Amino acid sequence: MFAFEKPSVLEKLINASLDIFGCVDSSGCFVFVSDAVSYVLGYKSEALHGKHFSSFLHPDDVARTNQFFNEVLSLSHEVNFSSRCIHSEGYTIHIFWSVIWIEDKDILYFVGRDVTDQKLGIQQLQEKDELHRALVEHGTDMLALFDENVNFTYSGGSTERILGYTAESLMGINAFSLIHPDDVEMVQEKLVQALESEEQVTISDFRFLHINGEWRRLETCLSNQLHNPAVKALVTSSRDVTEKYRNRQRLIESEQRFKSLFEYNPDAVFVENREGLILEANQAAEQLLGLPKHEILFKPIFGFLPPEAVAVCDRHLADAFNGNTVKFLLKSDFEDGKLVLEVTKIPVKVNGEVLAVHSIVKDITAATNYHEAVEQHAKKLTTIFESITDAFCTIGRDWKYTYVNSEFERLTNHKKEEFVGKSFFELYQDSSSEIFYKNYLYAMQTGCSVHFEAYSQEYGIWLSIRAFPSEEGLSIYFNDITERVEVQRELQQLSLVARHSTNGVIITNAARTVEWVNDSFTRLTGYTLEEALGKVPAELLQAQHKDQHPLEAVKDEMLRGVPISREVCSRRKDGKSVWFSVQVNPVFGEQGEIVKFVTILTDITERIKSQQELEMLSLVASGTDNAVIIMDVEGLTEWVNVGFTKMTGFTIAEMAGRKPAEVLRGEETEDITLRKLCEKLREGVHFNVMIAYYRKSGEKFWASVDTTPICDKNGNVTRFVAIQKDITFRKEAEENLLKMTQDLNRQNTDLQQFTYIVSHNLRAPVANAIGLANLLTKVGKDSALYDDSLAHLKQSVEQLDIVLKDMNTILSVRDGQGSLELEKIRVKLVVEQALNSLEESLKQCDGEVLFHIADDIEVKANKAYLYSIFYNLLSNAIKYRAIDRKLRVEVKCQASPDKGVLISFSDNGSGFDMAKAKDNVFKLYKRFHKNKNGRGIGLYLIKTHLEAMGGQIEVTSKTGVGTSFQIIIP
Amino acid sequence: MKAFVIDDDKLSVFLTQSILNLDAATQCVDTFLSAEAALDALAALKETDMPDVIFLDLNMPLMDGWDFLDALTSDRLYAEKEFNIYVLTSSLDLSDSVKAETYSIVSGFLHKPISSEDVSLIYSRIELQKKAEVR
């Protein structure tokens, strides 16, 4: 308990005080606490007794307070401090403590005052100040104070950040020195206003110099606080509005741009809202509606529309508000009349929401009307074109089809679409379109219309074409005139035929008087058209010797309309008689009545004459010695005369219906002549052949046959007449002559060859002899050359002798040809003889000869010649034997009844090249082996001998294999 | 001078060769008894060893003088080559000398037997020709 024993005044005071009175012992535990503690901290004073003070302290303050407590224990004077305690309800209470340690009592007295409110007040003030500063420093505004001369006394806020000036650098600077000269006046005015009114003045938008020299636009609030003792300055708050100004400026520009776009758009433009109220309208809209703007704005657009258009516009407006751009045509009756409007509605979207709709209204009434007028015009034209019965088309200046009518389609059998838009050149490329092109081009270039007729190959028709040029191109009319052209052509052709026909043509009327005759009529009768006109032909041509013209006799038949054909004799104008074949054809009218007669006259005088002539000739033919054959057109015999039977032995009965050549031909009748005969008969021309024929008896004779075709009026062959003469005698003479000529020729050739041979072979040894003789004079008698030359000279002369002997042999064979006596000789005998003569040589070369010859085979020959033949063949075989093998010769002989005796002579010798030797094998002095002493006379002699006996020889040879001779002796 | 003699007549060859050898200018005479052998020899010769003059007989077995001339003319190997070919024949037939004229490679036509005068004339002609070529 406290020192007061009894509750006294003091005790009462203490307990009544708002401050807490108390004491703690040196350990810090409460000894006493006044009642105020319950008021201040919410604890009963009794509850605190004995508790340590720290248990009421704010945990953050415990350490500090403990330290303090320990310090106080060593001090004798009063100490003040504050700390936070925790109210029993948990909140913090700031307590200002005053403590004193009484050492002798070992007690610490304390007084605690609740200073919470005071503490909070200070804290709040501090916070407010801090907030201001932060606002000023970090706000966007620039704050400044000026004295009455507008010099800076303070600069703060974001001045430095925005304008670059530090606060210090602006001190004392006059504000006007930094304001744009153009703006100074305005700012001064505002300043005066501020000074006078003491109200806050806003100076919007003036230019102030940035530290980097750039002008910035500022907006400043100016407040005159000179008279405010707490301030004593002009207070300004400024903001940089440069960007804002620029944006605004841009906005203004773009607005103006759009405004003018809108305002001066030649089309009427309305801005409507969802309800259809007109929010804006341009000048064109005013014009369209015929009302000034103020009468249009904020009125429903439907009010200006005719009733029938409202629903359409309403529907499209709703569609536009759904975000679609719509375009439609509005045709309606307005006050000014019927208008056609093209309306485009464009939604104006802001953030995806359609706020309004722009309606662009274009008055296309005029254009539409024009278009319609053109269309109507075109339709009208089409109707006209279609109603044109001719085929019709138009071609533009670019040569493209612009129109074709249905008749044109029908004519060309192509659809309109296949032409329109296509070029003329694209469709027609054939050369027949050239004439079309030329005419069209002419029309286009000259502007003159053209009319021409042409044949279209493509459509196979004749066309009459009229083309009319215009600005646009050509209008072309086609008329199918094929029928007309064809009729015309046919007529032309017919008239050509009639006019130039070799036949006479007469056209008479029903009364049989002449209306027209052709030139041939005049030629045939001598009467001209003028002379014949109006006459009855039968009377005109009446033959003198007849009372009545034959045609008069058939007059009644004619008048019944029966075609008549007669051969009549008439009289020409010059009195000569002519035969006519007359054909009268009636021409009927539409009702079947006879309107005309067409009479054709053919001159058959010749034929009649030739008929008569033939009759006479046949009389002659039957009497002549020459054979006469009359054949039909096929070449079959119709008639032969007595002369034929005399010549050939065949009678008319045997010949009739057969071809003469088939009957008379025989073994030696040449096929080529027969062929020629047939050919000429087919050609129907006169010809002559010489032909080997055979009489019935089988005897051959030569006939010269002249065959002549007999033609009718029209030139057609009707018959052949052949005159046949026996020319056997003449032919034989001719053949003899031919043989003689051939012999002569051969002999002449032989002679030529002989001369050649003599010049070569006879002269060679002579030349050598001369040369050697000369040489001998030039060399010394003792030299070896002299001896050689002499030996050679002797050899040359010997050679000369051999050649001369050869000549003799040859000449004797040739000369003996004519008178050569042939006898029957047994072949085998002669072969054996030849073999014997050469036996020695054969033995030397160890050769063998095999011969298969029947003993009885005989030939008709000259024995010496036959011997020479075999001797030469055998000696050749030995001479030209192959070195590498034994010679083997084979001789065969065989008698053939028709050809004679065949002898084959083969060896296995060296042979020769047939290709190189060619036809020289049997020629005189031709040699085919080198280094052999052949003279080239052997085979020549063999051949000459054989030919002298009428025989033949052939040779086959192969180098290195052997040679084989085939001999035929008749 | 280097000469070729082509002739199947051994006597004639002997005679021609002897006459040629009498001329001092003759260095060498090659004789051939057939035209084929002469052709083969020519083909085997080097360009520089070609004969200065060729004496050619006409009448020979198998390949005659004409065949030889034809072979030379048609062989491209000798197209540029200038031969001095003298036909040396016993023939007196005019047709032969006429025919020889149609061959441009034939320089002359001689009747057998050849004389020393012929030889020296031919040689001097060839000399002139050679000089002209050198020039």
Side-chain angles (χ1 to χ4, degrees):
Chain A
M1 256 327 283
F2 198 61
F4 301 110
E5 296 289 323
K6 282 188 258 183
S8 62
V9 177
L10 188 63
E11 195 175 349
K12 282 181 184 166
L13 273 172
I14 288 169
N15 278 330
S17 170
L18 287 171
D19 292 337
I20 303 166
F21 288 84
C23 50
V24 292
D25 59 23
S26 60
S27 65
C29 294
F30 286 109
V31 177
F32 169 77
V33 184
S34 68
D35 289 345
V37 76
S38 69
Y39 164 71
V40 176
L41 291 172
Y43 301 100
K44 291 284 182 193
S45 62
E46 293 83 14
L48 293 175
H49 193 81
K51 293 215 172 144
H52 195 268
F53 64 84
S54 61
S55 49
F56 306 97
L57 285 171
H58 189 286
D60 292 351
D61 288 354
V62 172
R64 189 169 58 94
T65 312
N66 271 333
Q67 193 188 345
F68 221 80
F69 176 76
N70 291 329
E71 278 173 25
V72 171
L73 292 183
S74 60
L75 297 172
S76 54
H77 56 86
E78 230 175 79
V79 176
N80 296 325
F81 70 97
S82 64
S83 71
R84 285 168 292 176
C85 292
I86 306 297
H87 191 275
S88 66
E89 285 169 15
Y91 49 84
T92 305
I93 302 291
H94 289 264
I95 307 285
F96 186 77
W97 303 104
S98 178
V99 296
I100 185 152
W101 170 254
I102 307 297
E103 198 175 8
D104 52 340
K105 286 216 179 145
D106 209 19
I107 289 275
L108 184 139
Y109 296 89
F110 66 87
V111 178
R113 179 176 288 175
D114 181 355
V115 291
T116 304
D117 290 347
Q118 197 184 339
K119 273 269 182 190
L120 284 173
I122 292 163
Q123 199 180 333
Q124 273 168 1
L125 198 69
Q126 274 178 346
E127 280 173 4
K128 199 174 175 183
D129 196 40
E130 191 78 11
L131 192 70
H132 272 276
R133 213 177 54 240
L135 280 173
V136 169
E137 289 298 327
H138 301 290
T140 53
D141 286 2
M142 296 174 284
L143 300 176
L145 299 179
F146 298 95
D147 62 14
E148 63 274 16
N149 296 320
V150 209
N151 291 326
F152 277 93
T153 57
Y154 169 80
S155 163
S158 52
T159 308
E160 188 177 343
R161 190 163 49 79
I162 293 170
L163 292 175
Y165 301 106
T166 58
E168 296 77 35
S169 67
L170 285 174
M171 285 309 116
I173 303 286
N174 187 282
F176 283 106
S177 68
L178 297 174
I179 291 172
H180 193 280
D182 293 352
D183 294 342
V184 167
E185 196 179 337
M186 186 265 288
V187 175
Q188 263 171 349
E189 268 171 32
K190 291 281 184 183
L191 182 63
V192 170
Q193 199 184 324
L195 291 176
E196 281 171 0
S197 68
E198 301 203 0
E199 281 172 13
Q200 185 171 307
V201 173
T202 303
I203 311 167
S204 60
D205 192 14
F206 67 96
R207 281 161 284 181
F208 196 89
L209 193 66
H210 189 278
I211 195 163
N212 65 7
E214 183 190 336
W215 291 105
R216 304 295 298 183
R217 291 196 176 262
L218 300 183
E219 185 183 73
T220 297
C221 282
L222 175 65
S223 173
N224 181 5
Q225 297 289 320
L226 286 170
H227 307 297
N228 186 343
V231 185
K232 289 186 191 153
L234 289 163
V235 179
T236 64
S237 169
S238 305
R239 190 179 296 167
D240 184 345
V241 293
T242 312
E243 279 312 308
K244 200 170 118 193
Y245 173 82
R246 281 185 192 154
N247 286 338
R248 204 178 66 217
Q249 207 64 30
R250 275 202 285 271
L251 204 63
I252 288 166
E253 274 173 34
S254 102
E255 248 179 31
Q256 267 169 357
R257 211 161 38 229
F258 282 112
K259 183 84 180 165
S260 64
L261 260 180
F262 173 80
E263 198 60 40
Y264 303 111
N265 195 318
D267 297 331
V269 183
F270 300 96
V271 180
E272 291 165 88
N273 68 4
R274 199 174 284 273
E275 286 73 36
L277 283 184
I278 298 170
L279 300 177
E280 188 62 87
N282 69 352
Q283 289 175 7
E286 287 177 81
Q287 276 175 3
L288 179 70
L289 298 178
L291 293 169
K293 200 177 256 183
H294 60 268
E295 286 186 43
I296 299 169
L297 295 189
F298 306 110
K299 303 228 166 105
I301 193 160
F302 310 129
F304 301 105
L305 297 171
E308 70 269 20
V310 171
V312 181
C313 290
D314 194 24
R315 185 158 46 81
H316 287 299
L317 182 64
D319 203 5
F321 268 102
N322 284 335
N324 301 320
T325 299
V326 263
K327 193 167 188 174
F328 62 98
L329 281 181
L330 187 64
K331 287 184 202 167
S332 213
D333 288 314
F334 288 84
E335 282 170 22
D336 305 346
K338 196 177 170 87
L339 292 182
V340 181
L341 303 175
E342 187 191 76
V343 184
T344 311
K345 285 185 182 294
I346 303 157
V348 180
K349 291 185 195 172
V350 175
N351 296 331
E353 195 193 347
V354 182
L355 292 184
V357 163
H358 273 241
S359 297
I360 301 160
V361 181
K362 198 180 269 185
D363 183 356
I364 55 165
T365 312
T368 311
N369 285 347
Y370 174 71
H371 194 67
E372 275 173 3
V374 167
E375 258 178 22
Q376 274 178 1
H377 189 61
K379 260 187 207 161
K380 235 182 273 173
L381 274 177
T382 308
T383 317
I384 293 167
F385 292 160
E386 288 301 327
S387 66
I388 294 168
T389 52
D390 288 351
F392 174 78
C393 74
T394 54
I395 287 177
R397 290 236 158 237
D398 56 358
W399 291 91
K400 282 187 176 159
Y401 282 91
T402 48
Y403 178 80
V404 307
N405 72 352
S406 49
E407 179 60 18
F408 188 90
E409 284 181 310
R410 199 192 58 73
L411 191 71
T412 59
N413 210 12
H414 285 291
K415 288 271 162 233
K416 183 177 280 188
E417 296 71 40
E418 293 174 61
F419 289 99
V420 175
K422 299 268 171 62
S423 161
F424 174 80
F425 305 109
E426 198 179 326
L427 292 172
Y428 302 102
Q429 281 155 348
D430 58 328
S431 54
S432 78
S433 62
E434 181 92 1
I435 179 168
F436 292 88
Y437 170 70
K438 274 185 182 160
N439 279 292
Y440 293 167
L441 188 69
Y442 174 81
M444 270 202 206
Q445 286 178 343
T446 60
C448 299
S449 61
V450 290
H451 180 195
F452 62 99
E453 288 178 1
Y455 181 72
S456 164
Q457 239 161 33
E458 177 150 10
Y459 306 117
I461 49 176
W462 277 91
L463 293 167
S464 159
I465 298 118
R466 281 166 294 146
F468 300 97
S470 66
E471 284 299 309
E472 286 74 35
L474 291 177
S475 307
I476 309 164
Y477 298 80
F478 299 89
N479 208 342
D480 183 351
I481 53 160
T482 311
E483 218 170 299
R484 201 192 84 204
V485 169
E486 270 170 10
V487 167
Q488 203 178 336
R489 270 170 139 196
E490 207 172 324
L491 266 177
Q492 275 174 357
Q493 274 171 351
L494 280 177
S495 92
L496 201 73
V497 171
R499 193 171 296 280
H500 298 288
S501 167
T502 52
N503 296 331
V505 179
I506 313 165
I507 297 176
T508 55
N509 59 14
R512 299 193 305 136
T513 59
V514 172
E515 282 187 339
W516 184 80
V517 295
N518 72 348
D519 295 346
S520 291
F521 176 86
T522 308
R523 190 170 50 75
L524 291 174
T525 65
Y527 294 105
T528 62
L529 175 59
E530 288 75 27
E531 288 166 335
L533 267 181
K535 304 260 172 61
V536 176
E539 289 165 4
L540 190 70
L541 301 171
Q542 193 171 352
Q544 265 175 333
H545 60 284
K546 297 255 175 78
D547 296 332
Q548 195 185 30
H549 194 270
L551 280 184
E552 275 302 312
V554 293
K555 181 180 156 190
D556 293 340
E557 251 179 287
M558 266 176 79
L559 292 175
R560 276 207 308 279
V562 180
I564 288 160
S565 180
R566 286 280 186 285
E567 288 183 1
V568 296
C569 183
S570 299
R571 188 169 52 88
R572 283 173 55 98
K573 192 184 173 186
D574 55 16
K576 279 184 187 161
S577 284
V578 277
W579 278 88
F580 287 126
S581 159
V582 181
Q583 279 172 306
V584 185
N585 289 301
V587 177
F588 299 100
E590 280 173 12
Q591 269 75 45
E593 80 284 11
I594 294 168
V595 285
K596 278 182 174 52
F597 291 101
V598 176
T599 305
I600 315 254
L601 299 180
T602 312
D603 185 352
I604 55 165
T605 313
E606 284 296 313
R607 199 191 81 201
I608 299 287
K609 272 188 186 160
S610 68
Q611 236 170 29
Q612 291 166 348
E613 209 169 330
L614 202 68
E615 280 162 23
M616 285 198 276
L617 272 175
S618 82
L619 204 70
V620 176
S622 60
T624 177
D625 266 353
N626 286 333
V628 178
I629 313 160
I630 297 177
M631 290 167 282
D632 67 4
V633 69
E634 299 293 326
L636 303 175
T637 309
E638 286 187 339
W639 182 84
V640 295
N641 69 349
V642 183
F644 181 86
T645 311
K646 268 188 216 160
M647 187 184 291
T648 65
F650 291 100
T651 62
I652 188 161
E654 289 167 312
M655 292 304 295
R658 300 170 74 187
K659 290 187 179 177
E662 294 299 326
V663 180
L664 301 173
R665 63 182 293 186
E667 196 190 348
E668 284 178 40
T669 309
E670 286 174 313
D671 284 342
I672 188 164
T673 319
L674 285 173
R675 271 203 300 280
K676 182 186 168 194
L677 208 132
C678 283
E679 226 168 83
K680 294 288 181 186
L681 279 175
R682 258 203 308 282
E683 284 175 33
V685 293
H686 171 93
F687 66 95
N688 172 272
V689 288
M690 300 226 228
I691 189 163
Y693 271 161
Y694 289 80
R695 297 185 223 279
K696 200 177 173 185
S697 62
E699 187 194 345
K700 182 184 141 191
F701 72 99
W702 278 92
S704 163
V705 185
D706 275 289
T707 309
T708 312
I710 308 293
C711 301
D712 64 7
K713 263 285 137 214
N714 302 323
N716 294 324
V717 176
T718 55
R719 279 193 175 72
F720 292 98
V721 173
I723 314 265
Q724 194 172 300
K725 283 177 226 153
D726 187 339
I727 54 158
T728 311
F729 177 75
R730 201 181 88 198
K731 195 71 190 171
E732 274 169 1
E734 261 173 30
E735 270 174 3
N736 285 337
L737 200 66
L738 188 70
K739 191 164 177 285
M740 217 144 77
T741 316
Q742 278 170 348
D743 280 354
L744 271 176
N745 253 336
R746 189 169 57 83
Q747 285 195 348
N748 197 32
T749 315
D750 284 353
L751 206 64
Q752 273 174 358
Q753 203 190 358
F754 197 72
T755 317
Y756 183 80
I757 289 158
V758 168
S759 81
H760 270 93
N761 295 66
L762 198 54
R763 195 173 178 279
V766 175
N768 281 344
I770 298 168
L772 288 164
N774 277 331
L775 186 65
L776 283 172
T777 62
K778 292 181 183 170
V779 292
K781 274 188 178 175
D782 302 328
S783 68
L785 188 59
Y786 184 87
D787 294 340
D788 284 347
S789 300
L790 207 59
H792 283 136
L793 181 58
K794 191 176 171 239
Q795 216 176 330
S796 293
V797 178
E798 278 167 2
Q799 264 180 9
L800 182 60
D801 187 39
I802 291 167
V803 173
L804 284 173
K805 276 178 182 159
D806 285 347
M807 291 291 137
N808 192 41
T809 315
I810 292 162
L811 289 174
S812 69
V813 174
R814 295 179 62 89
D815 286 350
Q817 252 172 32
S819 56
L820 188 66
E821 276 177 27
L822 301 179
E823 51 184 324
K824 293 245 176 195
I825 304 160
R826 279 158 71 178
V827 178
K828 195 176 178 183
L829 230 63
V830 182
V831 175
E832 277 170 348
Q833 270 179 8
L835 199 60
N836 284 334
S837 317
L838 289 163
E839 204 175 0
E840 202 64 26
S841 312
L842 259 176
K843 263 183 190 165
Q844 271 174 18
C845 69
D846 198 16
E848 64 171 324
V849 176
L850 303 168
F851 53 96
H852 315 277
I853 306 168
D855 290 343
D856 55 347
I857 292 182
E858 289 182 338
V859 288
K860 225 179 150 189
N862 178 288
K863 195 181 175 186
Y865 285 5
L866 200 59
Y867 170 80
S868 160
I869 289 166
F870 286 117
Y871 180 90
N872 273 305
L873 284 174
L874 201 53
S875 74
N876 271 354
I878 294 164
K879 196 186 281 175
Y880 303 115
R881 67 181 181 271
I883 298 152
D884 54 349
R885 57 179 175 262
K886 249 172 81 178
L887 173 67
R888 191 187 149 93
V889 180
E890 213 169 338
V891 187
K892 285 181 194 165
C893 188
Q894 172 177 10
S896 156
D898 51 341
K899 287 184 182 169
V901 176
L902 266 66
I903 303 163
S904 90
F905 190 102
S906 315
D907 66 39
N908 64 342
S910 57
F912 58 88
D913 190 338
M914 294 281 285
K916 280 188 185 167
K918 291 176 234 158
D919 50 355
N920 287 330
V921 180
F922 295 104
K923 287 201 177 150
L924 186 58
Y925 296 124
K926 290 286 175 186
R927 290 158 297 165
F928 306 96
H929 296 270
K930 286 178 278 181
N931 311 322
K932 294 280 181 193
N933 290 320
R935 303 203 302 281
I937 193 165
L939 287 175
Y940 174 79
L941 273 178
I942 291 169
K943 192 172 163 68
T944 315
H945 283 144
L946 273 170
E947 280 175 357
M949 299 185 295
Q952 289 169 8
I953 185 164
E954 279 173 17
V955 68
T956 52
S957 184
K958 204 163 179 189
T959 316
V961 175
T963 310
S964 176
F965 294 94
Q966 310 295 327
I967 299 165
I968 298 175
I969 304 170
Chain B
M1 290 290 165
K2 182 178 178 182
F4 268 24
V5 177
I6 307 168
D7 196 338
D8 69 316
D9 184 350
K10 285 175 187 159
L11 280 182
S12 179
V13 170
F14 167 81
L15 181 62
T16 310
Q17 190 177 14
S18 303
I19 297 288
L20 286 172
N21 280 333
L22 289 178
D23 197 298
T26 304
Q27 289 161 343
C28 147
V29 180
D30 288 339
T31 63
F32 301 92
L33 288 172
S34 79
E36 289 99 325
L39 266 186
D40 292 344
L42 276 178
L45 278 183
K46 279 188 277 179
E47 181 69 21
T48 48
D49 296 340
M50 286 291 169
D52 298 299
V53 60
I54 298 174
F55 294 100
L56 177 68
D57 183 28
L58 289 178
N59 190 27
M60 289 182 283
L62 298 177
M63 182 181 253
D64 63 16
W66 304 122
D67 293 335
F68 176 83
L69 290 174
D70 288 335
L72 276 196
T73 318
S74 62
D75 196 331
R76 207 175 281 176
L77 203 63
Y78 308 116
E80 301 290 317
K81 185 86 188 132
E82 289 269 349
F83 288 108
N84 282 300
I85 299 178
Y86 287 85
V87 171
L88 180 61
T89 177
S90 57
S91 168
L92 295 176
D93 197 320
L94 195 65
S95 69
D96 281 333
S97 63
V98 170
K99 188 174 176 183
E101 274 173 36
T102 65
Y103 286 88
S104 59
I105 57 168
V106 173
S107 306
F109 191 93
L110 302 169
H111 293 287
K112 284 182 188 173
I114 194 166
S115 68
S116 298
E117 290 76 25
D118 288 336
V119 174
S120 57
L121 196 69
I122 288 166
Y123 280 0
S124 59
R125 223 191 275 175
I126 292 168
E127 284 295 343
L128 275 172
Q129 201 177 313
K130 278 185 176 174
K131 275 178 195 162
E133 270 166 27
V134 169
R135 219 172 284 149

